[in-house]
Amino acid sequence: MQRAALFRGGDAQMAAGDLGELLVPYMPTIRVPKSGDRVYKTECAFSYDSPDSEGGLYVCMNTFLGFGREHIERHYRKTGQCVYLHLKRHVIEKVPGASGGALPKRRNAKLFLDLEISSDLNSDDFEYEDEAKLIIFPDHYEISLPNIEELPALVTIACDALLSAKSPYRKQEPDSWEEELQASKHAKTLVQLDNGVRIPPSGWKCSKCDLRENLWLNLTDGSVLCGKWFFDGSGGNGHAMEHYKETGYPLAVKLGTITPDGADVYSFDEEEPVLDPHIAKHLAHFGIDMLQMQVTENGLRDNDIKPRVSEWEVIQEAGVKLKPMYGPGYTGMKNLGNSCYLNAVMQAIFSIPEFQRAYVGNLPRIFDYSPLDPTQDFNTQMAKLGHGLLSGQYSKPPMKSELIEQVMKEEHKPQHNGISPRMFKAFISKGHPEFSSNRQQDAQEFFLHLINLVERNPVGSENPSDVFRFLVEERTQCCQSRKVRYTERVDYIMQLPVAMEAATNKDELIAYELKRREAEAARRPLPELVRAKIPFRACLQAFSEPSNVEDFWSSALQAKSAGVKTSRFASFPEYLVVQIKKFTFGLDWIPKKLDVSIDMPDFLDISHLRARGLQPGEEELPDIAPPIVIPDDPKALFSSLLDNPNIDESSVMQLAEMGFPLEACRKAVYYTGNLGAEVAFNWIIAHMEEPDFAEPLITPAFGEVASSGAVALGAVGLDNQPPEEMIAIIISMGFQRILAIQALKATNNNLERALEWIFSHPDPEEESDPALDTVDMENNANANILAETGSEGPRIKDGPGRYELFGFISHMGTSTMSGHYVCHLRKEGRWVIYNDLRVCASERPPKDLGYIYFYHRIPS
C-alpha cells in the first residue's frame, strides 16, 4: 500500500505521475456514460445498499452498475472489471457557530443528485458530506476525488458524467412513476388564509359548477374547484386554474388522493406536479388530519376518539397506538407513488415458505449465475427483494438515546428503515402499460402478472407458484336435452361474488341511504356510514350456484338453447387465494366498489366443492361443432364483421370486473372468437406485457394482414403461423380452428382469399401438421402453465380442502384506479400490519373488510 499512500500526500508531481502510470492498463475499460446508458449510482444491483450504507456503493466504470460492499467482489471476479467509483455519504452533526446557533453549511450538496435525504434527520442539526473516490481492484488502491490535475482527462470526464447522470428510473412521460417530483418552492412559505374554512371528509363538489369529480383543494383559501388539464388527465371545467389566475394562490391538492403517506399536489405557478413537505400542516389548517394513526400519540384520550367507521380508518387501524415491529420478516417497503398494490402483494408472497426457499434459499446460486446485467433478471430481483424483506438487515430498531448522542458527536450512522423497490418495479413493470405508470392498479391483476412471470422464469426443479395452482371442473348442461359436458381449466384465484341480497342489515342500509341523500341535498354533514353486512356462507353459496350460459349452442339439439354452468374444484391448492369481487361497473361503465363487511372465517372448509366428474345417469353432449352457415355474399358478411365486430359484452364485463382494462377485455373477447370469458382470460395473461395491451381495439381492414402485436402466445416461434386474431375472426363465423389455420396459411394470411379457400375446401385436410398440433395444444392451455403443459398435464398440489387464514390484503378507496392497499399477515402467533414503510403489531385486524385473502392448507 506504499503507492496508495502517495495519493494522499507527498510530492504532487510524483503523485500525478504515479496516478497516470497506475491507470494506463485500465484506460480501455473506462467508459463515459452516453445518452441511454443506465447509471445505477444510488442502489446495489443485488441488495439495497446505497451511498448511505456503512460500506457505501461501488459503481463500475464500464457497466455503470452499482454494488454494495458484500457484492463488489462477485462482479470483479465475474467480469474482470477493476476500476470502480466508490460513493459514500456521511451525515455529520453541525458545528455550533459563535452565536451558539448551528452553521447552515452543507458540503458537496450536489454530488449525488438523485440521493434522497433521510427524513429521520433534522436538517437544522445535521449536514451531509459526500465522498467519492476511485478504487482499483484487486489491490484496493484508492484515488480521492476531485483530483482533476492528476487524473487523465478521460477519467475525469467519465467521473463527472457518472456523478451528474440522471436516475435510471426517470422517464419523459409525465405520468410515469419513475419521474422524480421536486419540492415546490412555495411549500415552505405558503400563506394560508384564516377564513374558518373546514373541508368535510366527503360530499365535495366544485363551488362554481357543482362537478363532483377531479376536485382540487386550494391550499391557500380552501376553495374546492374542478381541474381540467392536470397531470392525471382527468376532465373538468378548469375552474381551479381560473381561480389561480384571479388570486395567484399557487398550490392545490387533489381530493381523494390524500393518505397518511402523502397526496397529489399541483403547482399552478411551476406548472407541474410537486411535493409539499409540509402537506400535513397545510391540510390540518382546513381540518384534514392525514396522520390519523398518530392521534393517540398527540395527547387525545381513548374516549375522545370517534368510532372508527371509514374504511381508511378501520383498515389502517387509525386511533390505535400500534407497536412498531423490527427484524427479519418485518421490513417495510417505500411507496414509490401509487405502488402500494405491489408492496402489499410482495409482502404476502414472501411470507410463504415455498417462495422463501425458491429465492432467498437459493440466493447464492441465483446471484452467482446471474447475467452480466442483474438489474434485468427476474430471479435476481426476486431474490434481492426477498432477502431485503426477510434478512432483517433493513429493519433495525432505533438505537437508545444515549448511544445516539455518543455516535452523533463523531458521525451519524443512519438506521435503514425499510427498502425502496425501485429496481424491482422498474423491471417487473417494463413494457406493461399499467404497472409502469404512476396510476393505482388492481392488486389481484398484479398478483396474476407476477405469477405469470414466475412461471416463465423457473428458478429450479420446483416452481413456487405451484402452491397456488388448481384445476377447475366446469359442468355445462343443456337445459332442454339435459345432456352435459365436463371441461377442466387451470386457475390461481377463487373469486367469490358479493351476495348483496343476503345482507343482514337491510333496514339500516335503507335508512342510511335516505339520510345520506337528504344530507347531500341540504348540504349538511353526511350521517355515520352504515356498511352492508354479508354472511360469508352466502358468498360461498353464490359461488357454487349455476350460472346461465349466454348464446349457448347445444350439440345435442344442433341448435341454440338455454344452458347453465357450474364450477367445482377438480383439485385443491396448497395455498388458496380468495378474491372478494368488490369491484363492478355502474350503468355508465365507470368502475365502482362495494363497501361491504363479510365475516371471513379463520378456518375454511370447502371440501363440499370437490368436483365429482360425470355421474351415473348423466349423458354427455355429443362432440359436434356448430354447423357452417355459408352466406349468399361471403365477402359482404366478412366486411360487416370487420366493420362491426360482434363482441360478447357479458364476457367483457366478467373480465373487467377482475380489474383488467376495459379495452384489453374487448380485444381478448374479440380475438378469441367470443368463446367465453375463460378463453379470453388466457389471451389476457398471454398478452399483458405487450405495449398496446390496453389500447382500443382496431380491427384489420378487409383483406389486410393483422398486426403482429396481437399474435397469440402459442404462435410465437412457429414459421408462417397465422395471427391469432385472424384465426378468431374465422372461428367466430362458425368454422373449425384447424380449417381457419389451413386457409390462412394457404393464402398467405389474406382474409378475403382465406374465406374463398374455405368455401372451396369445406373439410379440413386429414394430414397432421406438427406445427398445428403444437399451436392447438398451446392455445387451448392456460397461458400461465405453457411450460408445464404436456402429456402429464399441469403440476398441481392436490390435498384436503380445509384451510386456515394467514393473511389478507385490503383496499381503501372507491375503485381499483384510486385508493390505497394495506396487507395484514399472521406471524409468530399474532397479526402484523404492513402499511408501506410502517410495520406494526396489529391490534384490530379488519378481517371483514379485506379484498384478497390468503389461506394455507391444514395438514390432515
Side-chain angles (χ1 to χ4, degrees):
M1 295 299 294
Q2 292 180 350
R3 296 178 66 187
L6 294 175
F7 306 150
R8 302 184 181 90
D11 188 356
Q13 290 184 345
M14 180 182 293
D18 262 14
L19 288 177
E21 177 186 344
L22 183 63
L23 287 169
V24 165
Y26 310 109
M27 294 294 285
T29 67
I30 298 177
R31 293 176 53 226
V32 178
K34 303 187 299 291
S35 176
D37 283 337
R38 293 190 296 264
V39 178
Y40 295 94
K41 61 180 181 178
T42 60
E43 180 182 353
C44 172
F46 293 107
S47 71
Y48 292 93
D49 285 351
S50 70
D52 270 327
S53 302
E54 184 177 352
L57 191 73
Y58 298 79
V59 182
C60 175
M61 295 297 291
N62 182 269
T63 64
F64 312 124
L65 294 170
F67 303 96
R69 187 165 58 185
E70 294 181 8
H71 303 284
I72 181 64
E73 292 286 350
R74 175 185 289 106
H75 186 259
Y76 164 70
R77 291 195 306 269
K78 181 178 289 188
T79 65
Q81 297 296 333
C82 296
V83 184
Y84 296 85
L85 184 64
H86 182 256
L87 307 177
K88 180 73 178 80
R89 166 161 287 177
H90 304 275
V91 184
I92 300 176
E93 187 176 17
K94 288 183 179 179
V95 179
S99 62
L103 296 174
K105 178 183 176 184
R106 181 178 170 191
R107 289 170 275 182
N108 299 337
K110 295 184 179 180
L111 188 56
F112 308 145
L113 291 178
D114 294 309
L115 192 61
E116 297 178 354
I117 298 173
S118 174
S119 59
D120 297 331
L121 298 180
N122 186 338
S123 59
D124 295 333
D125 299 327
F126 301 98
E127 62 182 350
Y128 302 91
E129 180 178 357
D130 294 342
E131 178 186 17
K133 53 189 175 184
L134 286 174
I135 307 292
I136 302 177
F137 280 69
D139 296 323
H140 293 268
Y141 285 126
E142 296 183 3
I143 304 174
S144 298
L145 298 176
N147 208 335
I148 300 175
E149 295 181 357
E150 301 180 5
L151 291 177
L154 173 65
V155 178
T156 300
I157 294 172
C159 290
D160 289 344
L162 191 150
L163 290 173
S164 61
K166 299 285 187 181
S167 164
Y169 311 114
R170 192 187 302 270
K171 287 187 177 181
Q172 297 301 317
E173 297 88 328
D175 66 342
S176 172
W177 72 269
E178 293 89 344
E179 184 174 5
E180 304 279 344
L181 298 183
Q182 300 298 318
S184 171
K185 63 183 181 182
H186 301 288
K188 189 173 183 179
T189 58
L190 184 71
V191 175
Q192 294 188 283
L193 303 184
D194 233 348
N195 53 11
V197 172
R198 290 295 180 266
I199 305 301
S202 60
W204 317 299
K205 61 180 178 180
C206 176
S207 60
K208 292 188 178 181
C209 67
D210 289 346
L211 193 70
R212 292 181 177 272
E213 59 185 20
N214 189 25
L215 299 176
W216 295 78
L217 168 67
N218 190 286
L219 290 175
T220 295
D221 65 356
S223 298
V224 176
L225 299 158
C226 63
K228 187 174 183 180
W229 46 77
F230 293 121
F231 63 99
D232 69 341
S234 300
N237 297 315
H239 289 136
M241 174 63 79
E242 291 179 7
H243 186 67
Y244 162 70
K245 291 178 179 178
E246 295 169 0
T247 63
Y249 300 155
L251 298 183
V253 60
K254 186 173 184 181
L255 294 174
T257 69
I258 301 169
T259 74
D261 301 304
D264 291 348
V265 180
Y266 190 85
S267 173
F268 299 104
D269 177 51
E270 295 158 285
E271 297 184 346
E272 64 178 351
V274 295
L275 292 177
D276 180 359
H278 308 284
I279 185 64
K281 182 183 74 171
H282 291 157
L283 291 173
H285 181 80
F286 300 109
I288 301 174
D289 183 4
M290 64 177 288
L291 303 174
Q292 294 185 43
M293 67 281 296
Q294 297 179 359
V295 292
T296 56
E297 300 172 11
N298 295 338
L300 290 180
R301 300 185 305 273
D302 290 342
N303 56 7
D304 291 331
I305 301 171
K306 295 181 179 180
R308 303 179 310 150
V309 176
S310 162
E311 65 177 356
W312 287 86
E313 297 174 304
V314 178
I315 290 175
Q316 296 186 106
E317 304 190 48
V320 180
K321 188 171 184 179
L322 302 179
K323 178 185 177 183
M325 303 286 285
Y326 300 99
Y330 300 105
T331 304
M333 297 174 68
K334 182 179 179 181
N335 192 322
L336 305 173
N338 286 331
S339 65
C340 52
Y341 66 91
L342 179 148
N343 295 349
V345 170
M346 298 315 300
Q347 292 284 9
I349 286 292
F350 275 111
S351 70
I352 296 174
E354 284 78 1
F355 279 85
Q356 296 174 0
R357 289 195 298 268
Y359 295 105
V360 183
N362 286 322
L363 184 140
R365 183 177 66 85
I366 293 173
F367 283 1
D368 286 341
Y369 290 94
S370 64
L372 292 179
D373 187 355
T375 68
Q376 302 302 303
D377 181 63
F378 177 76
N379 289 332
T380 299
Q381 293 308 309
M382 282 287 284
K384 170 184 171 178
L385 181 65
H387 179 265
L389 294 176
L390 301 174
S391 65
Q393 190 172 335
Y394 307 101
S395 177
K396 297 178 181 178
M399 303 171 66
K400 293 182 179 180
S401 58
E402 59 270 16
L403 294 178
I404 293 180
E405 292 177 359
Q406 294 175 10
V407 173
M408 291 302 183
K409 292 178 181 178
E410 300 178 5
E411 179 180 38
H412 175 81
K413 297 182 179 180
Q415 296 290 324
H416 283 285
N417 182 21
I419 59 177
S420 177
R422 286 181 180 273
M423 192 176 291
F424 179 78
K425 186 179 188 299
F427 174 77
I428 202 171
S429 63
K430 183 174 60 177
H432 194 286
E434 296 299 327
F435 299 136
S436 62
S437 74
N438 191 36
R439 298 181 293 273
Q440 184 62 275
Q441 304 299 330
D442 186 357
Q444 179 256 10
E445 184 179 342
F446 177 75
F447 172 80
L448 291 176
H449 174 67
L450 177 73
I451 295 303
N452 188 28
L453 291 175
V454 172
E455 296 280 3
R456 291 165 51 188
N457 295 272
V459 70
S461 58
E462 185 172 342
N463 196 317
S465 63
D466 290 350
V467 299
F468 297 124
R469 189 187 297 117
F470 59 92
L471 292 177
V472 177
E473 177 193 86
E474 293 188 337
R475 175 184 182 273
T476 306
Q477 182 175 37
C478 171
C479 295
Q480 189 168 342
S481 69
R482 313 302 295 175
K483 295 183 179 180
V484 298
R485 175 180 293 117
Y486 285 88
T487 58
E488 284 188 352
R489 61 176 174 84
V490 169
D491 213 333
Y492 294 85
I493 294 181
M494 178 187 188
Q495 294 183 311
L496 279 186
V498 177
M500 290 297 294
E501 68 281 356
T504 58
N505 58 338
K506 293 179 181 178
D507 293 341
E508 295 178 43
L509 291 171
I510 295 173
Y512 165 75
E513 184 63 21
L514 291 175
K515 291 180 181 178
R516 186 187 65 80
R517 292 180 181 179
E518 292 174 357
E520 284 189 350
R523 299 190 178 184
R524 296 196 307 267
L526 296 179
E528 185 175 298
L529 175 68
V530 176
R531 187 175 286 112
K533 297 179 181 179
I534 312 296
F536 172 77
R537 63 179 183 275
C539 299
L540 200 60
Q541 178 64 29
F543 170 85
S544 62
E545 288 179 350
S547 59
N548 293 325
V549 180
E550 299 291 337
D551 206 26
F552 176 70
W553 187 86
S554 172
S555 59
L557 304 176
Q558 294 285 296
K560 289 187 177 180
S561 172
V564 294
K565 180 176 66 177
T566 55
S567 298
R568 293 290 186 270
F569 287 82
S571 68
F572 290 121
E574 185 77 17
Y575 288 83
L576 178 67
V577 182
V578 180
Q579 177 200 13
I580 305 299
K581 297 175 68 174
K582 291 186 173 184
F583 298 104
T584 182
F585 281 83
L587 297 177
D588 52 4
W589 281 86
I590 295 178
K592 65 177 183 179
K593 177 182 172 184
L594 303 175
D595 189 3
V596 297
S597 170
I598 301 176
D599 58 336
M600 296 296 294
D602 287 325
F603 296 92
L604 174 62
D605 190 346
I606 55 172
S607 302
H608 63 286
L609 295 178
R610 168 79 74 172
R612 297 180 297 172
L614 188 67
Q615 295 297 296
E618 289 184 334
E619 186 177 352
E620 290 190 90
L621 284 163
D623 189 13
I624 302 174
I628 298 174
V629 179
I630 300 178
D632 296 333
D633 186 356
K635 292 184 180 180
L637 175 61
F638 222 4
S639 296
S640 175
L641 282 173
L642 294 175
D643 294 337
N644 301 290
N646 181 25
I647 298 178
D648 180 7
E649 294 296 340
S650 64
S651 295
V652 173
M653 178 70 79
Q654 290 182 53
L655 294 169
E657 288 179 349
M658 297 180 190
F660 298 114
L662 181 61
E663 287 299 332
C665 300
R666 289 177 56 81
K667 288 163 68 175
V669 174
Y670 172 73
Y671 289 143
T672 53
N674 292 314
L675 296 179
E678 290 80 5
V679 179
F681 173 81
N682 295 342
W683 185 97
I684 284 178
I685 296 300
H687 294 79
M688 284 177 66
E689 296 184 28
E690 294 177 2
D692 61 348
F693 173 70
E695 297 297 320
L697 171 65
I698 301 176
T699 56
F702 186 51
E704 177 186 343
V705 177
S707 66
S708 60
V711 176
L713 181 65
V716 174
L718 299 175
D719 295 334
N720 196 31
Q721 174 60 29
E724 187 64 27
E725 70 271 29
M726 300 179 71
I727 299 173
I729 291 173
I730 298 177
I731 292 175
S732 68
M733 299 179 64
F735 299 105
Q736 296 181 28
R737 178 181 178 82
I738 187 172
L739 187 61
I741 295 176
Q742 290 175 353
L744 289 167
K745 293 187 71 172
T747 57
N748 195 26
N749 298 336
N750 184 291
L751 285 174
E752 179 181 358
R753 290 171 51 211
L755 186 60
E756 294 174 349
W757 187 94
I758 287 177
F759 292 133
S760 60
H761 300 77
D763 297 322
E765 299 175 7
E766 294 297 330
E767 60 268 20
S768 174
D769 186 335
L772 294 183
D773 294 341
T774 303
V775 171
D776 285 338
M777 178 191 72
E778 294 181 342
N779 282 326
N780 290 333
N782 188 298
N784 284 339
I785 59 166
L786 183 62
E788 312 294 342
T789 304
S791 58
E792 298 179 359
R795 295 188 304 207
I796 58 173
K797 294 179 177 291
D798 197 7
R802 296 185 298 277
Y803 296 92
E804 182 178 4
L805 181 70
F806 74 92
F808 59 96
I809 294 173
S810 308
H811 174 268
M812 295 153 280
T814 56
S815 78
T816 56
M817 299 184 296
S818 63
H820 183 60
Y821 285 96
V822 167
C823 178
H824 283 77
L825 296 172
R826 188 171 179 82
K827 290 190 174 182
E828 298 178 324
R830 71 174 305 166
W831 284 97
V832 179
I833 179 173
Y834 293 81
N835 188 356
D836 290 334
L837 282 173
R838 284 174 55 87
V839 180
C840 301
S842 172
E843 297 295 334
R844 304 172 186 171
K847 290 182 283 187
D848 59 322
L849 299 182
Y851 172 48
I852 300 175
Y853 293 85
F854 294 85
Y855 287 85
H856 66 84
R857 179 184 291 143
I858 300 174
S860 55

